[in-house]
Amino acid sequence: MLVLSGIAIIIIGFALGVNPLLVVTVAAFASAAAAGFGPVEVIAMIGKAFVSSRFMAVAWLALPTIGLLERAGLRERARDVVRRLRGATTGRVLLGYMMLRQITAALGLTSLGGHVQMVRPIIAPMAEGAEERDEAIPLDPDTRDHIRAHAAAVDNIGVFFGEDVFIAIGSILLIRAILEQEGIIVAPLHVALWAIPTAIAALLVHGARLLMLDRRLKARR
């Protein structure tokens, strides 16, 4: 039971507001000591765990990059590009991104989009810029939030219904495993093929909603 002392240390440390990194480190050493490991062995295990999962930290490299690009005016440039396109509307911009997101996700390129990498710095400003050009005045906060919500939604819907078309994706394996538990044996390829009609239906349904979004925004002016 002394091995579980690390859990108690974490609870007490967090309750007292102690530095989380210090709390977790002390908890790790306490549990390891109770299990019969020495300090050197604990440090070796922490180092091995860090090296084996270092790829998980790669995603965090995108955050400072996006921050620097936004500071340099990425959002403003994206907004200006759309303002120069006469036929671009908020719904059409979002529909175009949704189609691109679905196609790339179907090819297994799920990391090309995302809220941090694409929606916040590029897609949302472009959608806002299309409406600001048509309205000729700054957007009110409610309308701006409404457009941003739709920008986030198209990313979620596009990748959700597009990734199942790619056979080598975790969701395909999850669907197959659940069906096997119920005695239904299916090949991953069949699951991917049957995901194509679903992806097309999602594109048509939400595409119609995006075109209706243009009508609702026009009615607000």
Side-chain angles (χ1 to χ4, degrees):
M1 295 298 293
L2 290 177
V3 177
L4 301 178
S5 60
I7 299 177
I9 294 176
I10 291 176
I11 295 175
I12 296 173
F14 284 0
L16 297 177
V18 182
N19 186 289
L21 181 59
L22 177 61
V23 172
V24 172
T25 304
V26 172
F29 275 93
S31 295
F37 294 101
V40 177
E41 293 174 297
V42 176
I43 295 175
M45 287 188 290
I46 294 175
K48 182 179 179 181
F50 175 79
V51 172
S52 61
S53 61
R54 63 186 182 276
F55 68 92
M56 297 182 62
V58 174
W60 295 100
L61 296 178
L63 296 179
T65 303
I66 295 299
L68 289 174
L69 291 174
E70 287 192 12
R71 185 174 182 180
L74 177 62
R75 293 169 60 87
E76 288 73 16
R77 300 289 79 77
R79 187 179 288 109
D80 293 340
V81 168
V82 172
R83 286 175 176 172
R84 291 195 292 266
L85 300 177
R86 294 185 177 181
T89 64
T90 298
R92 291 174 183 173
V93 169
L94 296 180
L95 179 58
Y97 175 67
M98 180 180 172
M99 294 174 63
L100 177 64
R101 189 72 164 120
Q102 269 198 324
I103 293 173
T104 55
L107 297 176
L109 305 176
T110 56
S111 60
L112 289 184
H115 295 172
V116 176
Q117 307 96 308
M118 286 292 292
V119 174
R120 173 187 163 85
I122 299 177
I123 303 304
M126 291 176 69
E128 294 171 13
E131 180 62 19
E132 287 175 342
R133 180 205 57 206
D134 293 336
E135 200 173 58
I137 58 174
L139 299 178
D140 60 89
D142 290 340
T143 302
R144 191 177 300 276
D145 290 341
H146 189 64
I147 293 175
R148 290 177 178 178
H150 274 278
V154 295
D155 188 273
N156 291 343
I157 296 171
V159 71
F160 183 85
F161 290 99
E163 66 178 3
D164 288 344
V165 180
F166 186 64
I167 188 172
I169 200 74
S171 57
I172 293 290
L173 301 179
L174 176 62
I175 293 172
R176 182 173 180 269
I178 293 176
L179 291 176
E180 282 187 355
Q181 292 177 359
E182 301 298 328
I184 303 174
I185 307 301
V186 295
L189 179 59
H190 291 165
V191 179
L193 290 176
W194 279 103
I196 296 176
T198 307
I200 295 175
L203 178 62
L204 294 177
V205 172
H206 198 66
R209 294 188 64 211
L210 292 174
L211 296 180
M212 292 173 61
L213 172 64
D214 283 336
R215 298 177 60 182
R216 290 196 300 269
L217 292 175
K218 187 175 181 180
R220 287 189 177 187
R221 298 171 194 164

